[in-house]
Amino acid sequence: MTERARGAAATRPVLEVQDWTERARRHAERADALTVSRRERRAAGASHPIDDFLYDYYGVTPGRLRRWHPGVGAMLAPGPGEHASWRWYATGDDGAVGLDVTAFLTDRGPTVRYIRDLLVATASRPAFAGCLGLHEWAMVYRQDDARRRHDLPLRLGREGTDAVVESHPVRCSHVDAFRFFTPQAVALNRLQPTRATQVAMEQPGCLHANMDCLKWALKLGPAVPGDLLLDCFELARDIRTLDMQASPYDVSTLGAPAVRIETPRGRAEYVTRQRGFAERTVPLRQHLVEVCETVLA
């Protein structure tokens, strides 16, 4: 551990063995409960178009979710854990183990700053809840069935799906949703988000921006406390369910009733749930900002 890191470590609280081992145990149990379906599907060679998205798109694994970190700002009294051998951890002169912030910043400094800037900018804007989840519809607009991302039938058929896109304003601000639009749908989007404009365009009502709290928690790695990581995972899982319920796909076989955004009732339900997710994301986004600020400080 560097001299600077030793000085920083001296000011951080030390969690006693009984405390942090119990936290790690409860974290592992919670993670196992959240990932049991994924693990069972993998063992059976099966897949699930809703739930598997988080693992496939964000590159997260049950094992990674199960690994508990105390987060930046905490030290672990010497005990049975393996943290001392993990990347970006260091052991102090008293044997306590914690995140070596200097080493972490050396490797991840630009990433931490970008995440902080993006999350702060996103939180500063009013939440827009009028997109109606049309990004999923725009991803299949005027596309033949063989090229669809999911092996599910279209709830309204090809012509009905295209008609919904053409009769509603498309206003997607999220670059990682927009980049999957079909060529014909790109021109219909009132916004043209790019990676260069991401910080300037993301807003807190966007389902994908809120799901991405999981992405940022994963990228911040051991700086993020375990409970925050699992909170972000649960949020993303619940948002993904609405994302597919409101999509053009027929997900009835998956036990997820459709949110029919082509009807007034369906639009009202979507907006209500979207706003609920935006409110639920606020403390998680703020906690991630605090993690970034602590690391950068």
Side-chain angles (χ1 to χ4, degrees):
M1 182 179 285
T2 65
E3 289 300 324
R4 180 179 175 184
R6 287 194 185 94
T11 65
R12 288 186 274 176
V14 177
L15 301 178
E16 296 301 326
V17 175
Q18 184 176 359
D19 182 7
W20 71 257
T21 54
E22 176 62 16
R23 293 190 194 187
R25 184 192 66 79
R26 292 199 304 266
H27 174 89
E29 289 181 350
R30 181 184 173 194
D32 287 346
L34 289 170
T35 64
V36 61
S37 296
R38 166 71 170 188
R39 289 181 282 112
E40 290 175 350
R41 286 194 303 272
R42 295 283 283 184
S47 63
H48 194 287
I50 298 178
D51 292 345
D52 286 339
F53 172 84
L54 300 182
Y55 300 96
D56 300 337
Y57 182 76
Y58 290 118
V60 65
T61 64
R64 189 171 179 185
L65 290 174
R66 199 176 196 273
R67 176 174 284 198
W68 176 78
H69 297 283
V72 62
M75 300 289 288
L76 305 180
E82 304 175 69
H83 295 79
S85 64
W86 293 352
R87 188 181 183 188
W88 294 309
Y89 276 86
T91 304
D93 295 336
D94 60 353
V97 177
L99 180 69
D100 188 334
V101 177
T102 302
F104 184 70
L105 269 179
T106 298
D107 292 342
R108 291 289 178 88
T111 297
V112 175
R113 293 182 182 90
Y114 178 81
I115 294 172
R116 186 269 315 273
D117 292 347
L118 175 63
L119 295 179
V120 169
T122 302
S124 72
R125 301 186 181 102
F128 175 74
C131 66
L132 301 178
L134 284 167
H135 55 276
E136 288 287 346
W137 298 71
M139 292 177 192
V140 299
Y141 178 64
R142 294 190 180 181
Q143 186 178 71
D144 62 82
D145 293 348
R147 298 175 60 191
R148 288 210 303 267
R149 298 174 66 205
H150 300 295
D151 188 22
L152 291 168
L154 296 177
R155 183 167 52 81
L156 301 180
R158 163 57 45 220
E159 292 184 1
T161 298
D162 292 347
V164 169
V165 177
E166 292 165 356
S167 62
H168 293 78
V170 183
R171 192 182 183 278
C172 179
S173 60
H174 195 276
V175 60
D176 286 315
F178 181 59
R179 66 190 178 95
F180 289 107
F181 279 27
T182 65
Q184 297 90 335
V186 167
L188 298 179
N189 194 21
R190 296 185 177 185
L191 304 173
Q192 298 290 306
T194 66
R195 192 67 64 198
T197 64
Q198 188 170 12
V199 173
M201 292 189 70
E202 284 203 9
Q203 56 89 15
C206 173
L207 291 190
H208 277 264
N210 294 334
M211 266 199 296
D212 278 352
C213 283
L214 174 60
K215 176 200 289 188
W216 308 130
L218 291 167
K219 286 187 177 294
L220 291 170
V224 172
D227 58 346
L228 177 56
L229 173 62
L230 295 187
D231 286 346
C232 290
F233 179 83
E234 283 194 272
L235 171 70
R237 182 194 60 185
D238 294 345
I239 291 176
R240 174 59 178 170
T241 299
L242 174 60
D243 201 31
M244 287 298 284
Q245 284 180 292
S247 77
Y249 297 104
D250 183 352
V251 293
S252 59
T253 58
L254 304 175
V259 176
R260 302 177 182 276
I261 57 95
E262 71 277 10
T263 68
R265 182 175 179 178
R267 288 193 290 272
E269 179 184 353
Y270 184 89
V271 169
T272 297
R273 291 173 64 181
Q274 183 179 24
R275 286 174 175 163
F277 284 130
E279 293 174 2
R280 181 175 160 188
T281 305
V282 169
L284 302 186
R285 183 178 285 114
Q286 180 57 38
H287 198 169
L288 290 171
V289 170
E290 291 168 0
V291 167
C292 293
E293 295 287 3
T294 301
V295 171
L296 293 171

